[in-house]
Each structure stands twice: as structure tokens, then as C-alpha cells.
Amino acid sequence: MSENATSATKARLYDAFAASGKALASGKRLELLDLLAQGERTVDALAKAAKLNLTTTSAHLQVLKQAGFVVTRREGVRIHYRLAGDDVARLFALLRRTAEAHQSAVAAARDAYLREDGAAELDREELRVRVAAGDVVVLDVRPVSEYRAGHIPGAISIPVEELAARINELPEDLEIVVYCRSEYCVLAYDAVRLLIDRGRRAIRLNDGMLEWRLSELPVDASDLT
């Protein structure tokens, strides 16, 4: 093969790599991947969760599909989207961690969004030890559909928007460990603040369901607890 031909085929290879990068070059498409990392969703559900109109959501999903990051199935007139594999979830998680490590703007944006308060957290291994000891209750504050798609075994489901009205469903004598979608999910932060304001002992898991799954820890997809 001539030098020019080799150069052309190399360029095609790197352009193919770049197509994946281009698909990720949108904050809203990353948000859609974040939502799909929790489980399969329809276009309508994704549009509502991401606060987008249907046309824009569909366009973003088509870009992700063309890049091979998502796949679909049809159920009647509804199209359901899901991640193409765990490798896509790992890529998404790695992108976020790499950006935080190398872009100074990420930390400030993260703290502004999460309203970082320096409250105590615990990691996955600490949580497993304390669950085995029976001295905590685990609270999942994601939407019910995400809980049903997969949750930490034994976790109680109370979506964050229902927590104030349903707080009495939680035992008063145990510390409450709260988790949501991932380490960048604001739902757990809001829930812990609410619980502490109501006089409960509460602490956050330092990441969430995305990291739990990627660590290949047990996941329960049973009905509501």
C-alpha cells in the first residue's frame, strides 16, 4: 500500500473514532445517557425528564443511535431506548471523572448544582458493612420507574418529591443512607437536607446507582419495598 493510501485509511479510522466523540459533544445528549444508565425509557419519558421537547429529544437520540451508543425496541407505537451496553455507561462515567480531573470549571459547576455542603458521606463498601450490621436503612430517592429497573437490595423507594409527605414511613431509630442516580445526582443532596431539617439522622452514599452497577454489586429489580 502506498504512503498516500495508508494515510487515507488512517484518516478514515480516526474519523470513525471522532464520530463517537462528536456524539458526546452535547450536554443534553450526555444528560440523556445519564437517564438511560438508570434503565430503558420511551422518548416521551426522556423528553419529560430532560425538560426537552419531543422533536429535540428524538434528534439527540438519533445522533446517539447512529454512534452506536443506544439501541431501540418497538412496543406498539412506542419506541423504547436503552444503552447499547455497560461499556457505554463506563465511557460516560469515565468522561465525567476525566473532565472533573482536568477542567477547573467542572468543580465549580458541580458545587453550584449540587449545593455542596460538606456533609458526611460513606462509600459502597462502608454501606454494605452497615447494612449487614442492620444499623442503617437505605433510601432510594429516584423516580419509581428507575427504582423498579434496578436498585440496591433492601432499599426503600420514596421519590424525593414525596419525601416530606412520607417521612413517617422511615424508621426513627436508624440512620438513613440516601442514594440516587450517581455521584453527580442532586436528588440525594436535597433528600439529606430535608431529612436533617426534619430531625432525622441522614447521610449520603458518595456515588449512586450508576457506580453501584458498574462495580458489579448485587442489583434488585423486584417490586417496591
Side-chain angles (χ1 to χ4, degrees):
M1 185 179 292
S2 70
E3 184 176 342
N4 286 342
T6 300
S7 178
T9 56
K10 180 180 180 180
R12 285 198 296 273
L13 173 62
Y14 278 87
D15 284 343
F17 293 151
S20 292
K22 289 177 182 178
L24 298 176
S26 161
K28 277 301 181 182
R29 287 199 287 276
L30 292 179
E31 185 176 353
L32 293 174
L33 289 179
D34 191 16
L35 292 166
L36 289 170
Q38 305 300 310
E40 184 181 76
R41 293 187 188 227
T42 64
V43 179
D44 288 357
L46 287 166
K48 182 178 179 181
K51 295 180 172 57
L52 293 170
N53 62 50
L54 286 174
T55 301
T56 302
T57 303
S58 295
H60 282 313
L61 289 169
Q62 285 306 305
V63 173
L64 293 171
K65 186 177 181 181
Q66 289 166 10
F69 290 143
V70 301
V71 294
T72 61
R73 71 175 180 89
R74 180 179 291 275
E75 185 178 37
V77 298
R78 291 180 178 271
I79 303 295
H80 298 256
Y81 282 81
R82 67 181 185 276
L83 295 186
D86 286 345
D87 54 346
V88 178
R90 291 185 188 282
L91 175 62
F92 171 63
L94 179 60
L95 173 63
R96 297 197 307 188
R97 295 296 259 172
T98 303
E100 185 170 354
H102 297 285
Q103 291 189 43
S104 59
V106 172
R110 176 203 62 206
D111 292 348
Y113 172 56
L114 298 176
R115 291 189 291 149
E116 179 62 67
D117 50 18
E121 299 177 328
L122 79 171
D123 62 28
R124 294 185 297 273
E125 187 54 38
E126 291 171 318
L127 175 59
R128 297 182 75 192
V129 170
R130 294 195 63 185
V131 167
D135 67 350
V136 297
V137 59
V138 182
L139 176 62
D140 185 321
V141 294
R142 298 174 299 157
V144 171
S145 60
E146 296 180 19
Y147 175 89
R148 285 179 169 148
H151 54 269
I152 295 174
I156 295 172
S157 172
I158 303 180
V160 67
E161 66 272 15
E162 301 176 15
L163 185 55
R166 297 175 58 189
I167 194 170
N168 290 335
E169 297 178 24
L170 297 168
E172 297 184 5
D173 58 337
L174 295 177
E175 186 166 47
I176 303 163
V177 179
V178 183
Y179 76 92
C180 54
R181 291 168 179 151
S182 72
E183 63 179 301
Y184 299 96
C185 178
V186 73
L187 305 180
Y189 285 77
D190 291 344
V192 167
R193 280 188 282 264
L194 186 153
L195 289 165
I196 291 174
D197 286 347
R198 298 296 181 90
R200 298 300 187 94
R201 292 185 295 132
I203 187 172
R204 287 189 302 271
L205 182 63
N206 68 351
D207 46 38
M209 199 63 217
L210 171 63
E211 295 83 5
W212 185 275
R213 283 183 183 275
L214 292 179
S215 296
E216 299 182 352
L217 293 171
V219 173
D220 193 348
S222 61
D223 290 337
L224 292 176
T225 299

